[in-house]
Amino acid sequence: MNLAYGLDMQKSFDEFFALQKKMMRGMEVLMDVDDEGSDCTPKELVYEEDKMKLYHYKPLTKNTCKVPTLIVYALVNRQYMMDIQQDKSVIKNLLEQGLDLYIIDWGYPAPEDRYLTMEDYIEGYIHNTVDFICKANKVEKINIMGVCQGGTFSTIYSALHPDKIKNLVTMVAPIDFDTEEGLLFKWGKNLNIDSMVDAYGVIPGDVMNAGFVILKPFQLMLDKYITVLDNLDDSKQMSDFFRMEKWIFDSPGQAGETIRQFVNDLYKENKLVKGELMIGEKQVNLKNINMPLLNIYAEYDHLVPPSASKPLNDHIGSSDKEMVSFPVGHIGMYVSSKSQKEMAGKIAKWIMERSKKS
């Protein structure tokens, strides 16, 4: 041991050279890092309308569920989080369990889409895709699984058209906006969305992303980039990291009139659970939801806290309703090992059992 000024010089040199070696290896890894592999589960485009596309996944089992399931994702992020990579794909897991899956890709709104309303999305695009799937499969009802904001839209659609929906599954869906948990819900109540929409027309994805990042600034702007240095020489870890980063910053803009109503009527006035929400000329009554409901929420969700999701079960008319939670955060719902092992199996079993009933 060679001590100088209280330092173990040999140990310091060893750590320095080990770090240098790790950085060199990290540079090699970064030169060849593979950030592809998202949205790869085989599917085909079966219907499109304006920028919205409907895909049908190719079955992975011989005997699939007779009632197809439509997945409705949020407008604020891209739907391929559900299929982020093959070893963490919720879609692939559900297909392997025997579900027949369709998914909506909302696309990227452009300036001409600024006047699209919630009515256009729910009574237009979702309604038309439901009709298309019913006709293609010769069924009168389908299952619908709504994720995050897509869960809010799916809930509204199910309340407006209970004759079209066999079973409703919601995942981390905001329903009761009168909560003080989560910064997003506090900000939403005070956000001047009218000025933003008037200024931008279509709210840019980068603006939305900046808002989400500052919800957890230390973790999302500093901690994760420091942590990634520990894995710099691990090609799989780096590929996983860049795949996720690519998804995070692939944020579509938001059609102005839709986000205006979403913020004003839901975040500020909580009209959905009050029974006061209007979609076009139709009033949304959650008591009309008479089909089975599986309500899934994340226990550590900082974007949609449990207090915003759990009340759905108290407001619907159905007596067949179940609530399930997982000890993960919002994104962990799709990619954590815990949810991968248990969530897909739970959803598939629940849907299969209820799809057999007349």
Side-chain angles (χ1 to χ4, degrees):
M1 182 182 298
N2 183 13
L3 293 177
Y5 303 105
L7 295 175
D8 184 336
M9 297 304 293
Q10 185 60 52
K11 184 178 178 182
S12 296
F13 276 123
D14 290 345
E15 290 177 348
F16 173 77
F17 285 120
L19 177 61
Q20 192 175 44
K21 186 177 179 181
K22 188 181 185 74
M23 295 299 288
M24 292 296 290
R25 169 62 185 150
M27 293 301 293
E28 293 175 6
V29 168
L30 289 176
M31 293 291 286
D32 296 317
V33 71
D34 178 15
D35 63 355
E36 301 298 322
S38 297
D39 204 17
C40 284
T41 301
K43 62 184 184 303
E44 65 174 330
L45 177 64
V46 292
Y47 176 77
E48 58 185 319
E49 183 177 348
D50 301 331
K51 293 181 175 66
M52 186 277 293
K53 292 181 170 62
L54 176 68
Y55 290 95
H56 182 212
Y57 285 96
K58 295 184 177 180
L60 294 180
T61 59
K62 286 186 178 178
N63 299 314
T64 57
C65 182
K66 300 300 181 188
V67 182
T69 298
L70 171 64
I71 299 174
V72 181
Y73 203 78
L75 300 175
V76 296
N77 287 113
R78 301 285 288 147
Q79 83 290 342
Y80 62 81
M81 169 50 70
M82 307 281 289
D83 191 27
I84 192 73
Q85 58 191 60
Q86 286 295 283
D87 62 342
K88 296 181 178 178
S89 171
V90 176
I91 297 291
K92 181 167 174 281
N93 269 335
L94 292 173
L95 291 169
E96 288 174 343
Q97 304 280 337
L99 293 191
D100 182 16
L101 296 179
Y102 291 79
I103 195 167
I104 289 176
D105 176 351
W106 294 115
Y108 299 87
E112 64 269 21
D113 300 313
R114 65 174 297 175
Y115 296 111
L116 285 176
T117 62
M118 283 178 63
E119 182 186 16
D120 292 321
Y121 279 102
I122 295 169
E123 288 289 82
Y125 298 132
I126 292 178
H127 189 61
N128 293 343
T129 57
V130 171
D131 277 349
F132 174 87
I133 296 169
C134 284
K135 187 176 180 181
N137 291 273
K138 299 178 180 176
V139 296
E140 295 182 354
K141 296 181 178 183
I142 67 168
N143 304 315
I144 193 166
M145 181 164 71
V147 181
C148 190
Q149 184 191 31
T152 313
F153 282 16
S154 298
T155 298
I156 294 170
Y157 182 79
S158 298
L160 293 174
H161 300 278
D163 56 317
K164 295 280 189 179
I165 301 302
K166 180 84 171 172
N167 299 294
L168 168 63
V169 179
T170 56
M171 292 177 61
V172 292
I175 300 296
D176 187 345
F177 291 75
D178 186 19
T179 175
E180 291 300 316
E181 290 185 69
L183 276 177
L184 191 60
F185 284 74
K186 293 180 180 177
W187 290 351
K189 291 177 177 59
N190 298 288
L191 184 65
N192 190 343
I193 192 65
D194 293 319
S195 293
M196 291 179 68
V197 171
D198 291 344
Y200 284 111
V202 171
I203 307 291
D206 289 343
V207 171
M208 301 294 294
N209 236 331
F212 290 131
V213 167
I214 58 177
L215 290 173
K216 297 180 80 173
F218 181 79
Q219 182 178 348
L220 298 179
M221 290 194 289
L222 185 63
D223 185 53
K224 73 174 180 179
Y225 296 112
I226 292 175
T227 303
V228 79
L229 292 176
D230 292 334
N231 301 315
L232 203 58
D233 56 347
D234 185 325
S235 59
K236 183 177 187 314
Q237 292 277 355
M238 293 307 296
S239 292
D240 290 356
F241 175 79
F242 277 102
R243 211 168 280 127
M244 185 63 72
E245 288 291 285
K246 191 175 177 180
W247 174 82
I248 288 172
F249 292 102
D250 183 16
S251 298
Q254 298 300 296
E257 294 309 318
T258 294
I259 195 168
R260 188 199 300 272
Q261 184 181 8
F262 198 82
V263 171
N264 286 337
D265 285 2
L266 299 179
Y267 278 104
K268 292 185 178 179
E269 298 191 39
N270 200 26
K271 287 185 176 180
L272 180 57
V273 298
K274 291 179 180 176
E276 299 172 357
L277 181 67
M278 298 297 295
I279 298 297
E281 296 181 353
K282 296 181 180 177
Q283 191 164 0
V284 181
N285 182 356
L286 292 177
K287 290 294 182 188
N288 290 339
I289 296 179
N290 54 14
M291 72 290 299
L293 164 71
L294 177 61
N295 182 3
I296 304 171
Y297 68 92
E299 294 170 14
Y300 308 120
D301 196 330
H302 74 289
L303 292 176
V304 182
S307 57
S309 298
K310 292 164 67 175
L312 175 59
N313 290 45
D314 299 327
H315 291 281
I316 65 171
S318 174
S319 58
D320 183 354
K321 47 193 174 184
E322 184 175 350
M323 192 150 47
V324 177
S325 70
F326 292 91
V328 294
H330 194 78
I331 300 302
M333 184 62 83
Y334 319 110
V335 299
S336 76
S337 57
K338 181 81 173 175
S339 61
Q340 288 295 315
K341 287 179 182 176
E342 300 179 16
M343 185 183 68
K346 172 63 186 178
I347 293 172
K349 184 172 183 290
W350 188 90
I351 286 179
M352 299 277 265
E353 287 176 351
R354 284 159 180 78
S355 294
K356 292 175 183 174
K357 299 179 180 177
S358 58

